C-alpha cells in the first residue's frame, strides 16, 4: 500500500467526508473570524484593509475608506489576508501507543495515526479556504518541516511526509515549540498534536511565548482511550512509554487513583490554557475524530 494511502483508508476517508459536510461552513466562519479587522466599529466592507504605516506606498491608500473613516488605510495584499496554519506533530515514542480497537474506537489507531487523521482534515479544510498550511514534526527538536502552501497538492505532500515518520524519539515539547515560535515570521494558527507526557511547565511556557508572539494556538491533547478509561484488570505489567521502565501493578486497586491523576493532568492544561488564551482540546482515540473536531469548532465559533 502506498505511503500516502496509509492514512486514506476507506473508513478514514468516510470520516473526513462527514467532517467536510458537517463542519465546512463552521470552519469557514472560524477561519474568517481569525482575520481581525482593523476597522472596529465600521462596516465589514473594510475587513480587507489595514492601517497605513510609514513606508507604505501612498499610491496604495484607499481614498474611499478615507472618505468614510477619516483615516488612512491601504488594501491588504492576498498574502496578508490569508491565515497561515502550522501543524505541529509530536514524534515522541509514546505517540506510537495503541491499546488496539475497542468498542468505541473501532479504527484502533495509535495516538500518532489519530493525530494525523485530524491534522489531515484540518489541512484539507484550510486548503479549501485557500489558506496555506505547513508542518513541523518534532521530538527533542524539530526534525522535519514543510513550508506552508495552499496548493491542492499540499495535503498529499503532508501525508506523504507524515507516513514516512516514526514516533520513536524522546521528547522536548517545550523546546521544540520555542524553536517553532522563532521560525514564524508573522501571525499564524499553530495546531499542536501531542499526548503531553512530559513536564508541564516548559510546555506551558512555550505556549505562552507563542501567544505573546501574536499567534493563535490550538492544543490537541491526544491520549489513547485506554490511557483515559484504564480498562485493565488484575495484575498488569505496565511500561513507561518514554523510558521503557516496566512495573507490575494491581490494576483494580490502582484504577481510581489513576483516573483522578489523568483528570488532574487534563484540568491543569485546561486551566492554564484558558488563562493564556490557548484553545485546549482533550481527545482520546475512542472518539470519532470528525465528531470531536466538529464539536470543538462549534464551541469555538460560539465563543467567537
Amino acid at each position: 500500500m502506498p505511503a500516502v494511502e496509509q492514512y486514506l483508508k476507506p473508513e478514514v476517508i468516510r470520516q473526513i467526508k462527514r467532517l467536510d459536510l458537517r463542519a465546512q461552513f463552521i470552519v469557514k466562519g472560524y477561519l474568517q473570524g481569525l482575520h481581525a479587522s482593523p476597522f472596529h466599529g465600521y462596516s465589514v466592507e473594510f475587513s480587507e484593509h489595514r492601517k497605513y504605516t510609514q513606508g507604505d506606498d501612498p499610491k496604495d491608500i484607499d481614498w474611499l475608506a478615507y472618505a468614510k473613516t477619516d483615516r488612512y488605510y491601504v488594501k491588504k495584499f492576498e498574502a496578508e489576508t490569508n491565515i497561515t496554519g502550522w501543524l505541529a506533530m509530536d514524534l515522541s515514542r509514546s505517540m506510537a501507543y495503541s491499546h488496539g480497537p475497542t468498542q468505541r474506537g473501532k479504527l484502533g489507531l495509535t495516538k500518532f495515526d489519530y493525530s494525523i487523521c485530524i491534522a489531515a482534515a484540518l489541512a484539507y479544510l484550510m486548503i479549501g479556504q485557500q489558506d496555506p498550511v505547513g508542518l513541523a514534526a518534532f521530538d527533542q527538536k524539530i526534525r522535519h518541516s514543510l513550508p506552508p502552501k495552499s496548493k491542492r497538492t499540499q495535503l498529499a505532500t503532508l501525508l506523504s511526509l507524515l507516513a514516512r515518520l516514526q514516533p520513536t524519539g524522546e521528547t522536548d515539547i517545550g523546546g521544540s515549540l520555542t524553536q517553532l515560535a522563532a521560525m514564524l515570521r508573522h501571525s499564524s494558527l499553530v495546531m499542536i498534536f501531542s499526548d503531553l507526557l512530559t513536564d508541564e511547565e516548559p510546555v506551558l511556557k512555550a505556549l505562552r511565548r507563542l501567544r505573546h508572539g501574536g499567534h493563535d494556538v490550538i492544543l490537541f491533547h491526544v491520549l489513547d482511550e485506554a490511557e483515559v478509561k484504564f480498562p485493565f484488570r488484575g495484575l498488569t505489567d505496565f511500561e513507561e512509554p518514554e523510558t521503557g521502565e516496566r512495573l507490575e501493578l494491581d490494576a483494580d486497586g490502582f484504577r481510581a487513583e489513576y483516573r483522578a491523576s489523568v483528570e488532574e493532568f487534563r484540568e491543569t492544561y485546561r486551566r492554564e490554557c484558558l488563562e493564556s488564551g490557548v484553545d485546549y482540546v482533550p481527545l482520546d482515540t475512542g472518539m470519532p475524530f470528525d465528531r470531536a473536531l466538529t464539536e470543538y469548532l462549534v464551541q469555538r465559533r460560539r465563543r467567537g
Side-chain angles (χ1 to χ4, degrees):
M1 179 179 291
V4 175
E5 294 181 6
Q6 178 179 343
Y7 297 103
L8 296 178
K9 299 172 185 176
E11 60 268 31
V12 173
I13 291 174
R14 283 196 296 272
Q15 288 199 346
I16 291 179
K17 284 183 176 179
R18 282 203 301 272
L19 173 66
D20 186 39
L21 292 171
R22 296 167 56 193
Q24 190 171 47
F25 76 99
I26 297 169
V27 175
K28 182 177 181 180
Y30 164 63
L31 294 176
Q32 288 177 344
L34 291 177
H35 295 289
S37 171
F39 288 81
H40 296 298
Y42 295 96
S43 169
V44 293
E45 66 183 288
F46 296 118
S47 61
E48 299 303 308
H49 292 67
R50 61 172 172 79
K51 288 183 179 180
Y52 174 84
T53 58
Q54 187 174 0
D56 287 333
D57 191 335
K59 291 186 295 185
D60 292 331
I61 294 175
D62 190 320
W63 295 105
L64 176 61
Y66 174 78
K68 292 188 177 183
T69 67
D70 199 30
R71 299 177 185 178
Y72 294 110
Y73 292 97
V74 296
K75 272 278 192 179
K76 289 185 180 181
F77 294 103
E78 183 178 354
E80 295 179 278
T81 59
N82 283 342
I83 297 165
T84 299
W86 278 91
L87 302 167
M89 312 295 294
D90 185 354
L91 293 175
S92 61
R93 184 181 299 111
S94 60
M95 290 292 287
Y97 176 73
S98 172
H99 186 53
T102 64
Q103 186 173 0
R104 289 170 58 228
K106 294 180 181 178
L107 293 180
L109 300 174
T110 68
K111 289 181 283 185
F112 188 64
D113 291 336
Y114 186 87
S115 297
I116 289 175
C117 290
I118 296 181
L122 283 166
Y124 172 77
L125 293 167
M126 285 194 72
I127 290 170
Q129 292 295 116
Q130 297 183 329
D131 286 311
V133 60
L135 169 72
F138 63 89
D139 45 38
Q140 289 181 307
K141 64 180 181 179
I142 294 176
R143 299 291 180 182
H144 304 271
S145 64
L146 186 68
K149 292 182 181 179
S150 56
K151 295 180 180 179
R152 290 285 178 180
T153 56
Q154 182 76 342
L155 178 60
T157 304
L158 278 167
L159 288 174
S160 180
L161 173 58
L162 287 167
R164 296 195 301 270
L165 300 181
Q166 295 295 325
T168 58
E170 297 181 2
T171 188
D172 182 358
I173 301 171
S176 298
L177 294 180
T178 298
Q179 184 184 355
L180 176 60
M183 290 170 51
L184 304 180
R185 295 289 174 257
H186 55 272
S187 296
S188 302
L189 172 61
V190 182
M191 297 159 280
I192 303 162
F193 298 84
S194 175
D195 55 15
L196 302 175
L197 297 182
T198 187
D199 293 337
E200 296 165 3
E201 192 50 44
V203 180
L204 294 170
K205 184 177 180 180
L207 292 173
R208 295 184 197 109
R209 177 169 180 172
L210 281 166
R211 288 293 295 140
H212 184 71
H215 307 294
D216 203 70
V217 182
I218 308 172
L219 177 58
F220 292 98
H221 187 184
V222 182
L223 296 175
D224 188 82
E225 184 179 16
E227 291 177 319
V228 176
K229 303 297 183 183
F230 203 76
F232 309 102
R233 295 281 185 257
L235 284 177
T236 306
D237 190 31
F238 295 96
E239 180 177 322
E240 208 287 329
E242 297 295 332
T243 66
E245 182 181 352
R246 304 181 76 89
L247 181 66
E248 188 177 61
L249 290 173
D250 176 10
D252 297 297
F254 186 60
R255 182 172 297 104
E257 180 182 348
Y258 174 85
R259 287 181 174 175
S261 296
V262 170
E263 182 54 37
E264 182 181 357
F265 177 38
R266 285 176 152 183
E267 180 57 33
T268 296
Y269 273 102
R270 186 182 294 111
R271 181 181 64 252
E272 295 292 336
C273 287
L274 180 62
E275 291 181 3
S276 302
V278 172
D279 275 12
Y280 174 69
V281 187
L283 299 171
D284 72 63
T285 56
M287 303 169 66
F289 67 81
D290 62 324
R291 180 174 59 82
L293 187 53
T294 300
E295 289 176 359
Y296 158 69
L297 292 167
V298 169
Q299 293 170 4
R300 169 77 189 224
R301 198 181 192 201
R302 285 172 180 167
R303 291 202 307 273

